[in-house]
Amino acid sequence: MNDAFKALSDPTRRRILELLSDRDLSAGEIAEYFDISKPSISHHLSSLKAAGLVLDERKGQNIIYSLNMTIFQELVKWFYDFSKGGTHT
């Protein structure tokens, strides 16, 4: 979960997640929303993938990125438990 929090600390990665919350996108489609290089977008996507926040699937020549809702459910549960003063792992 630490990797997820680290990944979420970057505003570009948060924006990528917001874009993916609307629909699954390729790296090229994601890059269209930013004024940074495609290698930088790839780096951000790699960080999100390593943190388990996004999933990727090859479709033809493209890699399509989508949100990994399981990790978001775990994060929400952690915040809920934290706010209730529950036991933390």
Side-chain angles (χ1 to χ4, degrees):
M1 191 175 320
N2 288 339
D3 289 339
F5 285 118
K6 183 178 176 185
L8 289 170
S9 71
D10 183 276
T12 299
R13 291 193 280 266
R14 289 194 305 270
R15 178 66 180 130
I16 291 171
L17 294 173
E18 289 171 5
L19 293 169
L20 292 174
S21 71
D22 290 334
R23 65 184 178 99
D24 298 350
L25 297 166
S26 69
E29 291 170 321
I30 292 167
E32 292 174 9
Y33 291 89
F34 297 91
D35 191 23
I36 58 176
S37 69
K38 288 185 180 181
S40 292
I41 293 294
S42 293
H43 173 75
H44 287 298
L45 287 167
S46 293
S47 295
L48 291 168
K49 184 178 171 190
L53 294 168
V54 298
L55 303 171
D56 63 346
E57 179 182 352
R58 181 167 290 282
K59 291 189 179 178
Q61 292 183 338
N62 292 316
I63 297 175
I64 305 299
Y65 293 88
S66 61
L67 294 180
N68 180 2
M69 294 310 295
T70 301
I71 191 76
F72 284 102
Q73 290 168 347
E74 290 173 12
L75 288 169
V76 168
K77 181 186 180 312
W78 184 87
F79 278 113
Y80 178 79
D81 290 347
F82 182 81
S83 71
K84 297 295 182 187
T87 303
H88 312 293
T89 57

